[in-house]
Amino acid sequence: MNIAVILAGGVGNRVGANIPKQFIEVLGKPVLAYTVEAFQNCPEIDAIEVVCIKSYIGYMDEMKKKYGFDKMLWVAEGGDTFQESVLNGIKNLEDKVSRDDIVLVHFGASPFIEDDIITDAIRVCKDKGNAISTTDFYVLSGMKDNTNSVCDPDNASSTYIDRDTIACMSTPHAFRYGFIDDIYKEAIETGIINEVEPHTTTLMYKMGKKIYFSKGSQTNIKITRKEDLDLFEGYVLMKQRRAAGKHHGDDEPN
């Protein structure tokens, strides 16, 4: 079984809205609904779990009914960080899935996800045991003099980074359930979970695990700022226009 674990536990302050960014409506539909829909429509996905802000858990039932998300079988309460939310989602699945089932962890605020990215993550995970949607790095890059934002007028760059050495990782992160369950149990028992940045990938690096790459896309971004919402609105309109064109035969040869 292939299970999508969609993380909707964040607040998303940088968007500047008065509600969490994954619940902001784009063309009358919440961002999260677009994300869930992508996994709902993927033939290789068997079930969906949403890890959600506590105050929105009741709303998820309404969303499920409104959009016909019959693959959404479970809703778990989110945590304060990516890692805590993943851990809550994994624990919630403990008596529901087998160790060989594949879990795909994905941001609820990453609605640009396409079917081919989902299916390739599953393919690589079946072969290697894990897979992270990844792209090469295509722009010039340099190391910041400090960890502050580039908007800091006192920050600058003095060191070049060879972009050919950089792998840009996004979601979904795909794991065999037994693998990710063991990772978190070991991280908690050893205390490693408190020593690294709160992401599953950082745990894997710390524990000497290899991360395998699956197909990525530069468009598969996480909505972080208001301009990302504008990009996504244009993306939705483009897809709607293409779908309408196919329906009317505009793409058929003369």
Side-chain angles (χ1 to χ4, degrees):
M1 185 162 66
N2 302 320
I3 306 102
V5 176
I6 300 177
L7 305 181
V11 176
N13 292 326
R14 282 174 287 185
V15 171
N18 57 359
I19 64 171
K21 60 190 174 186
Q22 60 270 28
F23 296 103
I24 295 173
E25 291 194 354
V26 173
L27 300 176
K29 186 173 177 179
V31 167
L32 179 60
Y34 289 102
T35 306
V36 174
E37 186 174 57
F39 289 90
Q40 169 74 30
N41 292 339
C42 180
E44 290 199 51
I45 295 296
D46 301 297
I48 297 169
E49 176 190 56
V50 175
V51 184
C52 185
I53 300 172
K54 185 176 182 180
S55 58
Y56 279 83
I57 288 178
Y59 175 71
M60 295 312 303
D61 190 50
E62 297 176 26
M63 181 183 290
K64 177 179 178 177
K65 292 175 182 176
K66 182 174 181 179
Y67 297 105
F69 294 150
D70 58 348
K71 290 183 183 178
M72 189 194 297
L73 303 186
W74 312 289
V75 178
E77 185 176 334
D80 292 333
T81 65
F82 175 96
Q83 199 130 265
E84 288 178 15
S85 290
V86 173
L87 186 55
N88 288 356
I90 295 303
K91 284 182 177 178
N92 189 57
L93 294 176
E94 194 168 17
D95 59 348
K96 302 174 179 67
V97 304
S98 75
R99 288 182 60 83
D100 286 332
D101 286 338
I102 291 177
V103 173
L104 296 98
V105 179
H106 187 71
F107 288 118
S110 293
F112 292 88
I113 183 71
E114 295 282 356
D115 200 70
D116 57 344
I117 295 175
I118 298 171
T119 56
D120 196 60
I122 293 170
R123 179 191 65 81
V124 174
C125 187
K126 284 180 178 178
D127 184 38
K128 303 291 188 180
N130 74 76
I132 309 294
S133 177
T134 307
T135 60
D136 286 317
F137 196 62
Y138 299 107
V139 297
L140 294 175
S141 57
M143 185 174 294
K144 295 188 292 186
D145 288 351
N146 62 58
T147 57
N148 294 341
S149 167
V150 294
C151 297
D152 181 349
D154 293 325
N155 208 349
S157 177
S158 307
T159 307
Y160 166 74
I161 298 175
D162 182 354
R163 60 187 172 185
D164 289 338
T165 67
I166 300 174
C168 294
M169 298 178 185
S170 184
T171 57
H173 300 174
F175 311 96
R176 292 201 179 274
Y177 180 80
F179 174 85
I180 192 170
D181 187 45
D182 290 345
I183 284 283
Y184 275 103
K185 284 179 179 175
E186 182 180 344
I188 291 169
E189 289 171 3
T190 59
I192 289 175
I193 198 165
N194 301 314
E195 298 176 7
V196 297
E197 183 186 347
H199 284 275
T200 315
T201 48
T202 51
L203 279 180
M204 291 174 66
Y205 281 130
K206 182 75 173 179
M207 298 164 78
K209 307 294 184 183
K210 184 174 286 189
I211 293 172
Y212 294 95
F213 304 144
S214 60
K215 183 174 183 177
S217 168
Q218 286 187 291
T219 60
N220 182 30
I221 65 170
K222 179 184 176 186
I223 290 176
T224 304
R225 300 183 181 275
K226 185 181 182 303
E227 53 264 37
D228 298 331
L229 286 168
D230 295 335
L231 281 173
F232 183 61
E233 181 173 332
Y235 174 82
V236 173
L237 289 170
M238 176 270 294
K239 292 189 75 175
Q240 289 177 350
R241 187 176 65 182
R242 286 184 178 176
K246 289 180 180 179
H247 176 73
H248 293 292
D250 293 351
D251 291 342
E252 294 179 2
N254 295 327

